[in-house]
Amino acid sequence: MNDMQANLRELYQEVIFDHNRQPRNFHAMADADHVAEGDNPLCGDQLKVYLRVRDGIVEDASFVGHGCAISTASASLMTEAVKGRAVAEADALFRDFQTLLTAADPAPARARRDFGKLEALAGVREFPLRVKCATLAWHTLHNALVDAGEAACTE
């Protein structure tokens, strides 16, 4: 690993630690119009995602729950990433993020999109058990966006 890669890895770890220690948008939303629950039975992560959608735009997003550092940081980063996006764009971000973490070749997803701070979670792909922790909030987001009416589960 060269110095630049080591510096990026350290920066990404700091982003994850920061969002775990001080999760953004960590609260129940009284006026949410889209809500879904998520569960990762393998490690016990559970969360609930709240969205307020107006005129097809995710006006506000929040979450509550408990989980590991990766799960909490991912939910925190996700709520920041989807605010202000059209519902279809938020769902497309879910699919690209899923590809970033699970595809054999994430290059097409990276070519389509600048992941910004979400890139901090890309290293999780090296740890298959942690991928479920990182994607739980996103599957829950998807279920909230489409009003799936069922809990998202990583199993």
mmCIF file of all heavy atoms in Angstrom, residues 23-30 32 34-40 44-51 61-68 71-76 78-79 136-138 140-141:
data_model
loop_
_atom_site.group_PDB
_atom_site.id
_atom_site.type_symbol
_atom_site.label_atom_id
_atom_site.label_comp_id
_atom_site.label_asym_id
_atom_site.label_seq_id
_atom_site.Cartn_x
_atom_site.Cartn_y
_atom_site.Cartn_z
ATOM 1 N N PRO A 23 -23.886 10.075 15.109
ATOM 2 C CA PRO A 23 -24.711 9.817 13.925
ATOM 3 C C PRO A 23 -25.597 11.018 13.588
ATOM 4 O O PRO A 23 -26.228 11.598 14.466
ATOM 5 C CB PRO A 23 -25.545 8.599 14.314
ATOM 6 C CG PRO A 23 -25.399 8.443 15.772
ATOM 7 C CD PRO A 23 -24.188 9.187 16.223
ATOM 8 N N ARG A 24 -25.616 11.372 12.323
ATOM 9 C CA ARG A 24 -26.465 12.464 11.853
ATOM 10 C C ARG A 24 -27.875 11.932 11.637
ATOM 11 O O ARG A 24 -28.060 10.785 11.266
ATOM 12 C CB ARG A 24 -25.943 13.013 10.527
ATOM 13 C CG ARG A 24 -24.766 13.984 10.617
ATOM 14 C CD ARG A 24 -23.634 13.472 11.423
ATOM 15 N NE ARG A 24 -22.354 14.126 11.061
ATOM 16 C CZ ARG A 24 -21.185 13.636 11.378
ATOM 17 N NH1 ARG A 24 -21.083 12.495 12.059
ATOM 18 N NH2 ARG A 24 -20.092 14.279 11.044
ATOM 19 N N ASN A 25 -28.832 12.822 11.879
ATOM 20 C CA ASN A 25 -30.245 12.501 11.625
ATOM 21 C C ASN A 25 -30.716 11.293 12.432
ATOM 22 O O ASN A 25 -31.523 10.502 11.957
ATOM 23 C CB ASN A 25 -30.479 12.281 10.126
ATOM 24 C CG ASN A 25 -29.970 13.448 9.314
ATOM 25 O OD1 ASN A 25 -30.374 14.573 9.528
ATOM 26 N ND2 ASN A 25 -29.041 13.183 8.402
ATOM 27 N N PHE A 26 -30.212 11.159 13.643
ATOM 28 C CA PHE A 26 -30.571 10.038 14.514
ATOM 29 C C PHE A 26 -31.739 10.459 15.410
ATOM 30 O O PHE A 26 -31.546 10.990 16.495
ATOM 31 C CB PHE A 26 -29.369 9.599 15.354
ATOM 32 C CG PHE A 26 -29.622 8.345 16.141
ATOM 33 C CD1 PHE A 26 -29.592 7.110 15.525
ATOM 34 C CD2 PHE A 26 -29.895 8.397 17.498
ATOM 35 C CE1 PHE A 26 -29.833 5.950 16.241
ATOM 36 C CE2 PHE A 26 -30.137 7.248 18.224
ATOM 37 C CZ PHE A 26 -30.102 6.023 17.597
ATOM 38 N N HIS A 27 -32.944 10.281 14.905
ATOM 39 C CA HIS A 27 -34.149 10.596 15.660
ATOM 40 C C HIS A 27 -35.361 10.047 14.913
ATOM 41 O O HIS A 27 -35.329 9.877 13.692
ATOM 42 C CB HIS A 27 -34.298 12.109 15.864
ATOM 43 C CG HIS A 27 -34.381 12.878 14.568
ATOM 44 N ND1 HIS A 27 -35.554 13.091 13.891
ATOM 45 C CD2 HIS A 27 -33.407 13.450 13.812
ATOM 46 C CE1 HIS A 27 -35.310 13.783 12.795
ATOM 47 N NE2 HIS A 27 -34.007 14.007 12.711
ATOM 48 N N ALA A 28 -36.410 9.782 15.666
ATOM 49 C CA ALA A 28 -37.679 9.402 15.045
ATOM 50 C C ALA A 28 -38.278 10.667 14.436
ATOM 51 O O ALA A 28 -38.092 11.758 14.971
ATOM 52 C CB ALA A 28 -38.624 8.808 16.082
ATOM 53 N N MET A 29 -38.962 10.512 13.325
ATOM 54 C CA MET A 29 -39.553 11.660 12.635
ATOM 55 C C MET A 29 -41.076 11.561 12.759
ATOM 56 O O MET A 29 -41.689 10.657 12.177
ATOM 57 C CB MET A 29 -39.122 11.658 11.168
ATOM 58 C CG MET A 29 -39.530 12.902 10.413
ATOM 59 S SD MET A 29 -39.158 12.815 8.633
ATOM 60 C CE MET A 29 -37.462 12.294 8.598
ATOM 61 N N ALA A 30 -41.663 12.491 13.494
ATOM 62 C CA ALA A 30 -43.100 12.453 13.765
ATOM 63 C C ALA A 30 -43.936 12.595 12.493
ATOM 64 O O ALA A 30 -44.991 11.978 12.372
ATOM 65 C CB ALA A 30 -43.473 13.538 14.763
ATOM 66 N N ALA A 32 -43.120 11.741 9.364
ATOM 67 C CA ALA A 32 -42.657 10.899 8.245
ATOM 68 C C ALA A 32 -43.852 10.302 7.513
ATOM 69 O O ALA A 32 -44.849 9.939 8.125
ATOM 70 C CB ALA A 32 -41.771 9.778 8.767
ATOM 71 N N HIS A 34 -43.093 7.904 4.982
ATOM 72 C CA HIS A 34 -42.564 6.620 4.540
ATOM 73 C C HIS A 34 -41.674 6.093 5.684
ATOM 74 O O HIS A 34 -40.741 6.797 6.097
ATOM 75 C CB HIS A 34 -41.701 6.755 3.292
ATOM 76 C CG HIS A 34 -42.469 7.160 2.069
ATOM 77 N ND1 HIS A 34 -43.102 8.354 1.930
ATOM 78 C CD2 HIS A 34 -42.692 6.489 0.927
ATOM 79 C CE1 HIS A 34 -43.679 8.422 0.743
ATOM 80 N NE2 HIS A 34 -43.440 7.296 0.113
ATOM 81 N N VAL A 35 -41.970 4.902 6.146
ATOM 82 C CA VAL A 35 -41.234 4.319 7.268
ATOM 83 C C VAL A 35 -41.015 2.842 6.976
ATOM 84 O O VAL A 35 -41.897 2.174 6.432
ATOM 85 C CB VAL A 35 -42.010 4.470 8.603
ATOM 86 C CG1 VAL A 35 -41.249 3.835 9.752
ATOM 87 C CG2 VAL A 35 -42.304 5.936 8.899
ATOM 88 N N ALA A 36 -39.836 2.353 7.327
ATOM 89 C CA ALA A 36 -39.562 0.916 7.199
ATOM 90 C C ALA A 36 -38.593 0.493 8.288
ATOM 91 O O ALA A 36 -37.803 1.305 8.789
ATOM 92 C CB ALA A 36 -38.987 0.585 5.820
ATOM 93 N N GLU A 37 -38.670 -0.769 8.643
ATOM 94 C CA GLU A 37 -37.764 -1.339 9.635
ATOM 95 C C GLU A 37 -36.796 -2.287 8.942
ATOM 96 O O GLU A 37 -37.132 -2.870 7.904
ATOM 97 C CB GLU A 37 -38.549 -2.082 10.704
ATOM 98 C CG GLU A 37 -39.421 -1.155 11.523
ATOM 99 C CD GLU A 37 -40.166 -1.874 12.635
ATOM 100 O OE1 GLU A 37 -39.988 -3.102 12.807
ATOM 101 O OE2 GLU A 37 -40.933 -1.201 13.331
ATOM 102 N N GLY A 38 -35.612 -2.431 9.531
ATOM 103 C CA GLY A 38 -34.613 -3.342 9.000
ATOM 104 C C GLY A 38 -33.984 -4.162 10.105
ATOM 105 O O GLY A 38 -33.895 -3.710 11.252
ATOM 106 N N ASP A 39 -33.560 -5.365 9.749
ATOM 107 C CA ASP A 39 -33.016 -6.283 10.745
ATOM 108 C C ASP A 39 -31.883 -7.099 10.126
ATOM 109 O O ASP A 39 -32.016 -7.629 9.027
ATOM 110 C CB ASP A 39 -34.140 -7.214 11.217
ATOM 111 C CG ASP A 39 -33.702 -8.152 12.312
ATOM 112 O OD1 ASP A 39 -32.769 -7.826 13.062
ATOM 113 O OD2 ASP A 39 -34.316 -9.228 12.430
ATOM 114 N N ASN A 40 -30.782 -7.154 10.828
ATOM 115 C CA ASN A 40 -29.666 -8.019 10.443
ATOM 116 C C ASN A 40 -29.490 -9.031 11.565
ATOM 117 O O ASN A 40 -28.771 -8.787 12.526
ATOM 118 C CB ASN A 40 -28.380 -7.201 10.255
ATOM 119 C CG ASN A 40 -27.200 -8.062 9.859
ATOM 120 O OD1 ASN A 40 -27.311 -9.274 9.743
ATOM 121 N ND2 ASN A 40 -26.063 -7.427 9.678
ATOM 122 N N GLY A 44 -27.349 -8.656 14.894
ATOM 123 C CA GLY A 44 -28.263 -7.984 15.808
ATOM 124 C C GLY A 44 -28.560 -6.530 15.484
ATOM 125 O O GLY A 44 -29.233 -5.850 16.264
ATOM 126 N N ASP A 45 -28.088 -6.031 14.356
ATOM 127 C CA ASP A 45 -28.390 -4.657 13.971
ATOM 128 C C ASP A 45 -29.887 -4.536 13.673
ATOM 129 O O ASP A 45 -30.447 -5.359 12.942
ATOM 130 C CB ASP A 45 -27.632 -4.243 12.708
ATOM 131 C CG ASP A 45 -26.125 -4.296 12.860
ATOM 132 O OD1 ASP A 45 -25.637 -4.232 14.006
ATOM 133 O OD2 ASP A 45 -25.444 -4.383 11.829
ATOM 134 N N GLN A 46 -30.510 -3.516 14.225
ATOM 135 C CA GLN A 46 -31.918 -3.228 13.945
ATOM 136 C C GLN A 46 -32.062 -1.729 13.800
ATOM 137 O O GLN A 46 -31.488 -0.972 14.597
ATOM 138 C CB GLN A 46 -32.825 -3.712 15.077
ATOM 139 C CG GLN A 46 -32.849 -5.210 15.201
ATOM 140 C CD GLN A 46 -33.775 -5.670 16.311
ATOM 141 O OE1 GLN A 46 -33.829 -5.068 17.375
ATOM 142 N NE2 GLN A 46 -34.514 -6.739 16.039
ATOM 143 N N LEU A 47 -32.822 -1.328 12.800
ATOM 144 C CA LEU A 47 -33.062 0.107 12.643
ATOM 145 C C LEU A 47 -34.394 0.370 11.982
ATOM 146 O O LEU A 47 -35.041 -0.533 11.436
ATOM 147 C CB LEU A 47 -31.918 0.778 11.881
ATOM 148 C CG LEU A 47 -31.597 0.302 10.471
ATOM 149 C CD1 LEU A 47 -32.474 0.982 9.450
ATOM 150 C CD2 LEU A 47 -30.146 0.619 10.184
ATOM 151 N N LYS A 48 -34.785 1.618 12.081
ATOM 152 C CA LYS A 48 -36.025 2.084 11.468
ATOM 153 C C LYS A 48 -35.671 3.358 10.712
ATOM 154 O O LYS A 48 -35.014 4.251 11.260
ATOM 155 C CB LYS A 48 -37.055 2.367 12.565
ATOM 156 C CG LYS A 48 -38.444 2.576 12.102
ATOM 157 C CD LYS A 48 -39.388 2.596 13.319
ATOM 158 C CE LYS A 48 -40.825 2.509 12.915
ATOM 159 N NZ LYS A 48 -41.725 2.427 14.090
ATOM 160 N N VAL A 49 -36.060 3.429 9.458
ATOM 161 C CA VAL A 49 -35.774 4.581 8.602
ATOM 162 C C VAL A 49 -37.065 5.368 8.400
ATOM 163 O O VAL A 49 -38.122 4.780 8.133
ATOM 164 C CB VAL A 49 -35.205 4.128 7.236
ATOM 165 C CG1 VAL A 49 -35.133 5.292 6.254
ATOM 166 C CG2 VAL A 49 -33.834 3.503 7.427
ATOM 167 N N TYR A 50 -36.962 6.671 8.539
ATOM 168 C CA TYR A 50 -38.088 7.590 8.356
ATOM 169 C C TYR A 50 -37.782 8.526 7.198
ATOM 170 O O TYR A 50 -36.671 9.060 7.106
ATOM 171 C CB TYR A 50 -38.286 8.464 9.602
ATOM 172 C CG TYR A 50 -38.550 7.720 10.872
ATOM 173 C CD1 TYR A 50 -37.499 7.262 11.665
ATOM 174 C CD2 TYR A 50 -39.847 7.507 11.303
ATOM 175 C CE1 TYR A 50 -37.736 6.591 12.847
ATOM 176 C CE2 TYR A 50 -40.101 6.840 12.484
ATOM 177 C CZ TYR A 50 -39.045 6.380 13.258
ATOM 178 O OH TYR A 50 -39.282 5.714 14.433
ATOM 179 N N LEU A 51 -38.778 8.729 6.339
ATOM 180 C CA LEU A 51 -38.634 9.669 5.229
ATOM 181 C C LEU A 51 -39.849 10.587 5.184
ATOM 182 O O LEU A 51 -40.971 10.154 5.443
ATOM 183 C CB LEU A 51 -38.549 8.931 3.892
ATOM 184 C CG LEU A 51 -37.459 7.885 3.727
ATOM 185 C CD1 LEU A 51 -37.656 7.145 2.410
ATOM 186 C CD2 LEU A 51 -36.086 8.527 3.801
ATOM 187 N N ALA A 61 -34.812 12.831 6.013
ATOM 188 C CA ALA A 61 -34.559 11.412 6.291
ATOM 189 C C ALA A 61 -33.922 11.303 7.672
ATOM 190 O O ALA A 61 -33.103 12.153 8.048
ATOM 191 C CB ALA A 61 -33.627 10.820 5.237
ATOM 192 N N SER A 62 -34.321 10.284 8.397
ATOM 193 C CA SER A 62 -33.718 10.044 9.710
ATOM 194 C C SER A 62 -33.792 8.551 10.020
ATOM 195 O O SER A 62 -34.407 7.783 9.273
ATOM 196 C CB SER A 62 -34.431 10.858 10.800
ATOM 197 O OG SER A 62 -35.736 10.375 11.011
ATOM 198 N N PHE A 63 -33.154 8.175 11.114
ATOM 199 C CA PHE A 63 -33.205 6.776 11.528
ATOM 200 C C PHE A 63 -33.042 6.672 13.031
ATOM 201 O O PHE A 63 -32.532 7.599 13.679
ATOM 202 C CB PHE A 63 -32.117 5.940 10.823
ATOM 203 C CG PHE A 63 -30.729 6.159 11.362
ATOM 204 C CD1 PHE A 63 -30.135 5.215 12.197
ATOM 205 C CD2 PHE A 63 -30.008 7.297 11.059
ATOM 206 C CE1 PHE A 63 -28.853 5.395 12.690
ATOM 207 C CE2 PHE A 63 -28.726 7.500 11.554
ATOM 208 C CZ PHE A 63 -28.156 6.550 12.367
ATOM 209 N N VAL A 64 -33.495 5.548 13.577
ATOM 210 C CA VAL A 64 -33.245 5.175 14.959
ATOM 211 C C VAL A 64 -32.903 3.699 14.957
ATOM 212 O O VAL A 64 -33.222 2.985 14.011
ATOM 213 C CB VAL A 64 -34.454 5.439 15.899
ATOM 214 C CG1 VAL A 64 -34.756 6.927 15.982
ATOM 215 C CG2 VAL A 64 -35.673 4.660 15.444
ATOM 216 N N GLY A 65 -32.275 3.247 16.022
ATOM 217 C CA GLY A 65 -31.959 1.836 16.136
ATOM 218 C C GLY A 65 -30.636 1.622 16.821
ATOM 219 O O GLY A 65 -30.063 2.548 17.399
ATOM 220 N N HIS A 66 -30.181 0.392 16.741
ATOM 221 C CA HIS A 66 -28.894 0.058 17.338
ATOM 222 C C HIS A 66 -28.165 -0.916 16.427
ATOM 223 O O HIS A 66 -28.787 -1.698 15.699
ATOM 224 C CB HIS A 66 -29.069 -0.530 18.737
ATOM 225 C CG HIS A 66 -29.897 -1.784 18.744
ATOM 226 N ND1 HIS A 66 -29.361 -3.020 18.518
ATOM 227 C CD2 HIS A 66 -31.226 -1.970 18.908
ATOM 228 C CE1 HIS A 66 -30.331 -3.921 18.571
ATOM 229 N NE2 HIS A 66 -31.472 -3.305 18.803
ATOM 230 N N GLY A 67 -26.857 -0.816 16.474
ATOM 231 C CA GLY A 67 -26.069 -1.699 15.640
ATOM 232 C C GLY A 67 -24.588 -1.430 15.803
ATOM 233 O O GLY A 67 -24.180 -0.608 16.631
ATOM 234 N N CYS A 68 -23.819 -2.098 14.996
ATOM 235 C CA CYS A 68 -22.373 -1.950 15.053
ATOM 236 C C CYS A 68 -21.970 -0.604 14.434
ATOM 237 O O CYS A 68 -22.793 0.130 13.888
ATOM 238 C CB CYS A 68 -21.707 -3.097 14.314
ATOM 239 S SG CYS A 68 -22.014 -3.085 12.535
ATOM 240 N N SER A 71 -22.833 -0.316 10.685
ATOM 241 C CA SER A 71 -24.268 -0.159 10.464
ATOM 242 C C SER A 71 -24.716 1.269 10.793
ATOM 243 O O SER A 71 -25.450 1.906 10.022
ATOM 244 C CB SER A 71 -25.023 -1.169 11.326
ATOM 245 O OG SER A 71 -26.402 -0.965 11.242
ATOM 246 N N THR A 72 -24.280 1.778 11.926
ATOM 247 C CA THR A 72 -24.675 3.124 12.346
ATOM 248 C C THR A 72 -24.093 4.181 11.411
ATOM 249 O O THR A 72 -24.804 5.102 10.993
ATOM 250 C CB THR A 72 -24.218 3.385 13.796
ATOM 251 O OG1 THR A 72 -24.820 2.403 14.644
ATOM 252 C CG2 THR A 72 -24.606 4.784 14.263
ATOM 253 N N ALA A 73 -22.823 4.047 11.067
ATOM 254 C CA ALA A 73 -22.191 5.020 10.166
ATOM 255 C C ALA A 73 -22.862 4.994 8.794
ATOM 256 O O ALA A 73 -23.103 6.042 8.187
ATOM 257 C CB ALA A 73 -20.696 4.727 10.035
ATOM 258 N N SER A 74 -23.195 3.810 8.306
ATOM 259 C CA SER A 74 -23.835 3.698 7.004
ATOM 260 C C SER A 74 -25.203 4.371 7.021
ATOM 261 O O SER A 74 -25.551 5.102 6.084
ATOM 262 C CB SER A 74 -23.974 2.224 6.603
ATOM 263 O OG SER A 74 -24.528 2.120 5.317
ATOM 264 N N ALA A 75 -25.985 4.150 8.062
ATOM 265 C CA ALA A 75 -27.310 4.786 8.155
ATOM 266 C C ALA A 75 -27.173 6.301 8.235
ATOM 267 O O ALA A 75 -27.917 7.040 7.588
ATOM 268 C CB ALA A 75 -28.064 4.241 9.371
ATOM 269 N N SER A 76 -26.208 6.767 9.008
ATOM 270 C CA SER A 76 -25.976 8.211 9.136
ATOM 271 C C SER A 76 -25.586 8.824 7.791
ATOM 272 O O SER A 76 -26.158 9.844 7.364
ATOM 273 C CB SER A 76 -24.875 8.447 10.179
ATOM 274 O OG SER A 76 -24.557 9.814 10.272
ATOM 275 N N MET A 78 -26.127 7.581 4.857
ATOM 276 C CA MET A 78 -27.236 7.419 3.917
ATOM 277 C C MET A 78 -28.252 8.546 4.073
ATOM 278 O O MET A 78 -28.715 9.110 3.070
ATOM 279 C CB MET A 78 -27.923 6.076 4.146
ATOM 280 C CG MET A 78 -29.115 5.829 3.253
ATOM 281 S SD MET A 78 -30.181 4.541 3.902
ATOM 282 C CE MET A 78 -30.942 5.375 5.294
ATOM 283 N N THR A 79 -28.606 8.884 5.314
ATOM 284 C CA THR A 79 -29.606 9.940 5.495
ATOM 285 C C THR A 79 -29.104 11.266 4.922
ATOM 286 O O THR A 79 -29.880 12.020 4.340
ATOM 287 C CB THR A 79 -30.000 10.127 6.974
ATOM 288 O OG1 THR A 79 -28.832 10.433 7.745
ATOM 289 C CG2 THR A 79 -30.696 8.891 7.507
ATOM 290 N N LEU A 136 -27.662 -2.754 5.357
ATOM 291 C CA LEU A 136 -28.964 -2.863 6.033
ATOM 292 C C LEU A 136 -29.776 -1.569 5.910
ATOM 293 O O LEU A 136 -30.954 -1.595 5.547
ATOM 294 C CB LEU A 136 -28.777 -3.233 7.510
ATOM 295 C CG LEU A 136 -30.073 -3.249 8.326
ATOM 296 C CD1 LEU A 136 -31.025 -4.326 7.816
ATOM 297 C CD2 LEU A 136 -29.755 -3.458 9.810
ATOM 298 N N ALA A 137 -29.157 -0.441 6.226
ATOM 299 C CA ALA A 137 -29.890 0.833 6.161
ATOM 300 C C ALA A 137 -30.392 1.097 4.745
ATOM 301 O O ALA A 137 -31.487 1.628 4.553
ATOM 302 C CB ALA A 137 -28.997 1.971 6.626
ATOM 303 N N TRP A 138 -29.605 0.697 3.762
ATOM 304 C CA TRP A 138 -29.964 0.962 2.368
ATOM 305 C C TRP A 138 -31.122 0.096 1.904
ATOM 306 O O TRP A 138 -31.992 0.560 1.182
ATOM 307 C CB TRP A 138 -28.725 0.761 1.487
ATOM 308 C CG TRP A 138 -27.709 1.800 1.798
ATOM 309 C CD1 TRP A 138 -26.781 1.773 2.802
ATOM 310 C CD2 TRP A 138 -27.551 3.060 1.153
ATOM 311 N NE1 TRP A 138 -26.053 2.930 2.806
ATOM 312 C CE2 TRP A 138 -26.506 3.738 1.793
ATOM 313 C CE3 TRP A 138 -28.195 3.670 0.089
ATOM 314 C CZ2 TRP A 138 -26.094 4.997 1.405
ATOM 315 C CZ3 TRP A 138 -27.783 4.927 -0.311
ATOM 316 C CH2 TRP A 138 -26.744 5.575 0.347
ATOM 317 N N THR A 140 -33.337 -0.994 3.899
ATOM 318 C CA THR A 140 -34.470 -0.431 4.642
ATOM 319 C C THR A 140 -34.956 0.844 3.956
ATOM 320 O O THR A 140 -36.166 1.072 3.846
ATOM 321 C CB THR A 140 -34.056 -0.163 6.104
ATOM 322 O OG1 THR A 140 -33.476 -1.359 6.653
ATOM 323 C CG2 THR A 140 -35.255 0.238 6.945
ATOM 324 N N LEU A 141 -34.022 1.658 3.481
ATOM 325 C CA LEU A 141 -34.395 2.843 2.700
ATOM 326 C C LEU A 141 -35.236 2.440 1.493
ATOM 327 O O LEU A 141 -36.286 3.044 1.230
ATOM 328 C CB LEU A 141 -33.135 3.579 2.225
ATOM 329 C CG LEU A 141 -33.375 4.661 1.158
ATOM 330 C CD1 LEU A 141 -34.044 5.882 1.765
ATOM 331 C CD2 LEU A 141 -32.056 5.039 0.491
#
